[in-house]
Amino acid sequence: MLFHTFRAQEERRRFGGTDFMEMQYCKLPLDLLQKKRVSVQKIEHWKNDSLYISGDDVDAFFVYYGQIITNGLFGNGKIGPIDPFGINFYAREQVDPMMKRIKDERTPDYNILLGWFEAGEAYGGFYLLGI
């Protein structure tokens, strides 16, 4: 399984410690400048409603999702492919095209990711936080 959820952070620690990429909803105010959205000071890791990708599964994640989840905003203000070690921000308007492609391609565990995207429709986007 590529995507994991945990009811509590102790459960995550037992499963794999900190060797995860974290997909986290961006719950900051929608009118906040994008530059501030990717500020290290605004990021809090290890949320219980996040999706986690184990370090052991990162290569597979990139094979299946690396060309779909792209054009993220980095902490330095640049845009590009997933930075596996940094902050990647994706605005809400980027999610629908990702969801369509995931549905069309039926990537591994696509139903988990689609459900997570749908549950986060009220938020301004999401982060993919590197290992």
Side-chain angles (χ1 to χ4, degrees):
M1 180 179 332
L2 285 178
F3 303 106
H4 302 275
T5 57
F6 302 105
R7 291 181 298 268
Q9 292 309 306
E10 184 56 37
E11 182 182 353
R12 176 193 50 82
R13 286 184 201 96
R14 283 192 309 270
F15 182 87
T18 60
D19 187 21
F20 291 99
M21 290 180 70
E22 179 181 3
M23 294 183 73
Q24 181 184 109
Y25 298 126
C26 177
K27 297 178 181 177
L28 296 171
L30 294 175
D31 60 351
L32 189 68
L33 297 173
Q34 283 196 348
K35 180 179 176 182
K36 291 188 178 191
R37 288 180 187 271
V38 293
S39 167
V40 173
Q41 293 79 17
K42 298 284 185 191
I43 305 296
E44 295 179 26
H45 293 271
W46 315 121
K47 301 289 187 176
N48 287 339
D49 60 356
S50 291
L51 277 184
Y52 294 92
I53 301 125
S54 169
D56 292 339
D57 296 325
V58 167
D59 289 341
F61 174 77
F62 274 94
V63 167
Y64 296 111
Y65 291 96
Q67 296 300 313
I68 297 172
I69 300 174
T70 190
N71 295 322
L73 177 65
F74 304 142
N76 64 7
K78 294 184 179 184
I79 294 173
I82 297 170
D83 176 358
F85 303 105
I87 298 169
N88 303 266
F89 170 74
Y90 303 90
R92 181 67 218 162
E93 58 268 10
Q94 292 175 273
V95 176
D96 287 338
M98 289 178 196
M99 289 177 66
K100 181 180 180 340
R101 189 161 169 198
I102 290 166
K103 285 178 190 174
D104 290 347
E105 294 184 20
R106 295 182 165 273
T107 49
D109 296 331
Y110 74 96
N111 54 336
I112 296 170
L113 184 54
L114 290 177
W116 187 81
F117 280 148
E118 289 168 359
E121 285 180 344
Y123 301 118
F126 72 96
Y127 296 106
L128 180 54
L129 304 174
I131 296 174

